[in-house]
Amino acid sequence: MVREFEHKNYWALILGGSSGLGLASAKKLAKHGMNICIVHRNSRAQEQEIKIQFDEIKEEGVQFTSFNMDAINPEKRAEIILELKKSFGTNARIRTLVHSVAKGNLKPMINTNSPTLKTDDFSLTMHAMAISLFDWTKAVFDANLCADDTRIISFTSEGNTKAWENYAAVSAAKAALEAITRNIALEFAPFGIRANCIQAGVTDTASLRRIPGSDAIKKYSLARNPFKRLTQPEDIANMVYLLSKDEASWINGTIIKVDGGESLN
């Protein structure tokens, strides 16, 4: 198999890469010779399973590093950037930055039987799932860690334009994420940076399972998807890989649906 990223000293920085879309993306890029850095936040109880997943990436023969730190914390971000700068030396650069941070509040706006959304819930969710994309892009850029043709990739959902119960804070964050992506695409373009957002179909991940009523969402999605199946993390990882290729250099500032046509119906 051709490993087009091999020997190019390219790295992928995956924010939220210990499971779901981020992990699948890391595995796909590693198969094609890209070195991998994963920033994740997990408990000690999850360490063994995560180690198994990370060992699979290492078996691809690429360089690998990970940081079990809060990607939203400015001090931790600065610490990670400094470590990468030291380890990269003069030649290695980040070709692909994948933002797969899922840290948000899933509460109703109004409900007398359970806690409801507060302004702070919106702020936390917006910062974690949208503004942090800019924070990391700027930090990588300022540290001179970008490749000549860096790709910034983030994940949105159909909740960007549709109202789902309990999804208000995340929906607002997704809309902001898309706006930030577009402006990164515009304002960082003179420096060779491309930015795009992938709108994934309903995917059975830990993040989806945290949404109240997720079983009903999956059932509904299966019924309306033309292929009668849910989107898989690997489907999204395939698009991350395609957007990282040289041939995708003219794709910039777009929202790309990867859902098998689910959103048509």
Side-chain angles (χ1 to χ4, degrees), residues 14-34:
I14 316 284
L15 308 175
S18 61
S19 64
L21 309 186
L23 179 61
S25 298
K27 289 181 176 181
K28 180 68 175 183
L29 293 173
K31 281 185 181 295
H32 290 272
M34 196 176 290

Side-chain angles (χ1 to χ4, degrees), residues 218-231:
K218 287 188 286 186
K219 183 178 179 180
Y220 178 65
S221 299
L222 283 169
R224 71 183 181 126
N225 193 296
F227 292 102
K228 304 305 177 187
R229 74 164 175 86
L230 297 179
T231 301

Side-chain angles (χ1 to χ4, degrees), residues 76-220:
K76 297 300 183 184
R77 181 171 58 248
E79 185 179 333
I80 292 167
I81 292 292
L82 182 60
E83 286 297 316
L84 291 179
K85 200 169 177 65
K86 288 178 181 177
S87 62
F88 279 13
T90 57
N91 295 320
R93 289 292 181 270
I94 293 171
R95 166 62 170 240
T96 302
L97 190 160
V98 177
H99 184 279
S100 184
V101 177
K103 181 181 179 181
N105 281 285
L106 295 163
K107 298 176 184 177
M109 282 187 158
I110 183 164
N111 189 328
T112 57
N113 299 317
S114 63
T116 57
L117 275 174
K118 303 289 189 292
T119 300
D120 286 350
D121 296 323
F122 273 100
S123 298
L124 183 150
T125 306
M126 295 279 284
H127 186 219
M129 299 185 72
I131 297 169
S132 65
L133 173 67
F134 168 73
D135 291 337
W136 273 97
T137 300
K138 189 67 162 52
V140 168
F141 177 81
D142 287 345
N144 195 31
L145 292 177
C146 290
D148 292 336
D149 188 7
T150 290
R151 315 299 169 86
I152 309 295
I153 301 169
S154 55
F155 299 139
T156 187
S157 72
E158 202 173 353
N160 56 1
T161 57
K162 293 185 177 180
W164 297 346
E165 288 187 6
N166 307 294
Y167 202 73
V170 177
S171 182
K174 294 299 187 184
L177 178 72
E178 294 175 15
I180 290 169
T181 296
R182 285 191 292 269
N183 268 76
I184 290 173
L186 176 69
E187 298 190 41
F188 283 82
F191 304 96
I193 294 172
R194 281 82 166 155
N196 294 287
C197 205
I198 296 173
Q199 180 179 312
V202 170
T203 312
D204 191 8
T205 62
S207 297
L208 175 70
R209 292 190 287 273
R210 285 196 291 269
I211 300 175
S214 61
D215 286 342
I217 293 173
K218 287 188 286 186
K219 183 178 179 180
Y220 178 65

